[in-house]
């Protein structure tokens, strides 16, 4: 509803229509606030998902490297030369290097996660506006004569 419509029909609208309009507009405002929050959080959830996947992969690779490094250490002590054990060490070291790189990727993704600042600012602004809203005073219209008394019946 535009301001021109308010000026032309504002005096002709009933209280029920005004309440219905206010309820509709407030509902639309709340839905817009929720949509903004969802849009902001969707991006952060994606970052958390990628970071969590990288942490999971890093943990899995580190777990797989433990038996390899254990075999490599055992064969290395036994041989003390360039043999089969060194190949196990190279493979285990490669797993740890990949795990470290994935861990750094996860940390970088987690650092980019932030709170939904636009939604918070918008909600604070809306709350501030709604907190200052005061009802408009109605002009007093006297439709009945002043000397007519009202009698009440008791039931």
């Amino acid at each position: 509803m535009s301001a021109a419509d308010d000026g032309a029909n504002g005096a002709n609208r009933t209280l029920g229509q005004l309440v219905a309009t206010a309820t509709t507009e407030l509902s639309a405002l709340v839905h817009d606030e929720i949509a903004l929050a969802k849009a902001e959080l969707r991006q952060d959830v994606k970052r958390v998902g990628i970071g969590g996947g990288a942490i999971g992969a890093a943990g899995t690779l580190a777990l797989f490297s433990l038996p390899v490094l254990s075999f490599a250490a055992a064969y290395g002590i036994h041989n003390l030369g360039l043999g089969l054990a060194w190949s196990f060490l190279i493979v285990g070291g490669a797993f740890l290097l990949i795990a470290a790189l994935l861990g750094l990727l996860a940390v970088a993704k987690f650092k980019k996660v932030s709170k939904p600042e636009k939604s918070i600012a918008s909600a604070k602004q809306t709350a501030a506006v709604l907190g200052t809203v005061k009802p408009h005073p109605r002009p007093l219209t006297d439709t009945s004569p002043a000397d007519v008394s009202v009698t009440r019946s008791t039931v």
Side-chain angles (χ1 to χ4, degrees):
M1 179 163 283
S2 67
D5 291 341
D6 284 340
N9 292 334
N12 298 334
R13 295 170 52 188
T14 66
L15 178 62
Q17 290 171 334
L18 291 172
V19 169
T21 301
T23 303
T24 302
E25 290 177 3
L26 188 59
S27 176
L29 177 65
V30 169
H31 285 288
D32 290 345
E33 295 287 341
I34 290 171
L36 176 62
K38 283 182 181 179
E40 280 187 294
L41 290 175
R42 191 174 294 124
Q43 187 178 18
D44 287 339
V45 167
K46 183 178 178 182
R47 288 180 182 147
V48 168
I50 292 172
I55 286 283
T60 301
L61 288 176
L63 183 64
F64 288 162
S65 69
L66 291 177
V68 173
L69 290 175
S70 296
F71 280 112
Y75 281 123
I77 292 171
H78 179 68
N79 290 337
L80 291 176
L82 293 175
L84 188 59
W86 286 106
S87 64
F88 280 124
L89 280 173
I90 291 171
V91 170
F95 278 142
L96 284 178
L97 179 64
I98 292 170
L101 291 176
L102 287 173
L104 290 175
L105 173 69
V107 167
K109 291 295 179 183
F110 285 141
K111 283 185 179 180
K112 290 184 181 179
V113 174
S114 63
K115 60 185 176 183
E117 294 179 11
K118 291 179 186 175
S119 295
I120 292 171
S122 178
K124 285 182 180 178
Q125 182 182 13
T126 301
V129 168
L130 290 177
T132 60
V133 172
K134 295 180 183 170
H136 295 288
R138 289 190 198 179
L140 295 176
T141 56
D142 193 13
T143 59
S144 64
D147 57 343
V148 175
S149 64
V150 177
T151 60
R152 296 183 186 222
S153 62
T154 59
V155 179

